[in-house]
Amino acid sequence: MRRDCDPGRRPLCWAVMDRAPAVKVPDPVRRAVRRRLLPWFAENARDLPWRRRRTPYRVWVAEIMLQQTRADQALPYYRRFLRRFPSMKSLAVAPLDDVLKMWEGLGYYRRARNLHRAARMVRERPGGRFPDTLEGIRALPGVGAYTAAAVASLAFNLDAAVVDGNVRRVVCRLLGRTLTARELEAASERLLVRGRAGEYNEAVMELGALVCTPAAPACDACPMRSACAAYRSGDPHTLPEKARRGKKPHRKVAAGVVFNGRGEVLIAQRNPDDMLGGLWEFPGGCIESGETAAEALTRELREELGMEVCSEGLLITVRHAYSHFSIEMEVHLASRVNRAPPRPLQCAAARWVPVDRLRGYAFSRADLQVIEALECRQAPVSGEGTTAAGSR
Ligand code: SF4
């Protein structure tokens, strides 16, 4: 609600579909893919849990997690998620709060909400079976062209070529120039090893992750070196050219840890359709021009929840970067000075929670830092209120 960002984010990845323009892919490059890249992958592939025991469910969960997260970062989350939700059914019947809690810290929480919705949709299908066509997979919530192609090729070995950031970098370098999105689709279509699409997709992505890295490609260790135009040019790291991006907006935000006098603090749940939807947070909002953080906090809680609070000093300043903006959040300890129950207007729910129970709720990374700071303080601040917790 109060720390929203621009929802019009450009996807990082896309997949090869039909009607792509013609682009020349030299035969030596295509031959090298078959003769060198695939054997290299067979020998050098990382042992990742989603590569063992490939089921559509395990592949799908991995691909959703990997949409905006590197494999090494996703690993502990994947293991934890699969332990808690080992099957489509276990995910479908779980409360959304549990799913968000398992996703806590991974970011881009819309992925978790869509995963949950999709699991419920799959359960309604005949036999509860995962769709096994590109179109069927693409129809699931949260599955774009990239993820559909990845799941189709890895779980069902359908001939669909994936293009993500790693693939883009490798293919542009192999062909020696920065390709447009459409050209990249066409080139990937030409390079795809039909009948071995899953293997091909993973091999190119693995090469991009381990060898053909953005700043320092390890060309001497690369199986594609003899066919690579960028290697011959002597300047492989300059490709692909980067698009210029504007500076991210920076927002100053105030938030409050509001006590009710019984050791409980107020948390609010974000609306499901907002950024970080379904997660809990400490209430607050943007600091307006000419306001102090304490003033902004007082105003926000009065306007949003009909609650009068009084700042009792700074707890922590949290700086956090989201994909399209960054925040500096000044978090104050505060006490409630009126007895009216919270009146949630722009949040899904508000609740008083003992400090030692906060970890049972799903929070964003920025708010988890607030909880850590709170836990470090041994003595809670006492507030005035003694009324029953107002929640809904
Ligand atoms: S030779 Fe170098 S630039 Fe070319 S694909 Fe391999 S690592 Fe990348």
Side-chain angles (χ1 to χ4, degrees), residues 170 173-174 207 211-212 217-219 222 224-225 228 230-231 236:
V170 170
R173 287 174 178 175
L174 287 174
L207 190 74
V211 178
C212 194
C219 298
C222 179
M224 296 298 290
R225 190 178 51 185
C228 179
Y231 173 69

Side-chain angles (χ1 to χ4, degrees), residues 23 25 171 175 179 183-192:
V23 60
V25 177
V171 174
L175 301 189
L179 301 171
E183 287 175 329
L184 193 56
E185 291 172 0
S188 295
E189 178 72 15
R190 299 281 322 279
L191 286 166
L192 182 70

Side-chain angles (χ1 to χ4, degrees), residues 115-249:
L115 208 56
H116 189 239
R117 272 179 62 212
R120 295 189 164 189
M121 283 172 61
V122 170
R123 246 200 118 197
E124 298 300 312
R125 288 169 47 83
R129 275 192 298 277
F130 199 90
D132 59 1
T133 64
L134 198 56
E135 297 71 29
I137 299 166
R138 179 80 172 81
L140 295 174
V143 175
Y146 158 76
T147 304
V151 175
S153 62
L154 294 170
F156 301 104
N157 204 29
L158 299 178
D159 283 335
V162 170
V163 180
D164 69 352
N166 281 328
V167 174
R168 175 171 183 261
R169 189 168 59 255
V170 170
V171 174
C172 287
R173 287 174 178 175
L174 287 174
L175 301 189
R177 69 184 175 92
T178 303
L179 301 171
T180 66
R182 297 290 305 273
E183 287 175 329
L184 193 56
E185 291 172 0
S188 295
E189 178 72 15
R190 299 281 322 279
L191 286 166
L192 182 70
V193 180
R194 296 185 187 280
R196 299 171 72 180
E199 202 181 335
Y200 162 79
N201 284 329
E202 282 202 299
V204 182
M205 290 189 279
E206 196 80 336
L207 190 74
L210 301 182
V211 178
C212 194
T213 54
C219 298
D220 288 344
C222 179
M224 296 298 290
R225 190 178 51 185
S226 64
C228 179
Y231 173 69
R232 287 195 298 275
S233 79
D235 259 341
H237 66 281
T238 59
L239 285 174
E241 287 161 21
K242 288 192 181 73
R244 284 202 184 154
R245 289 202 180 143
K247 215 175 157 205
K248 284 183 183 178

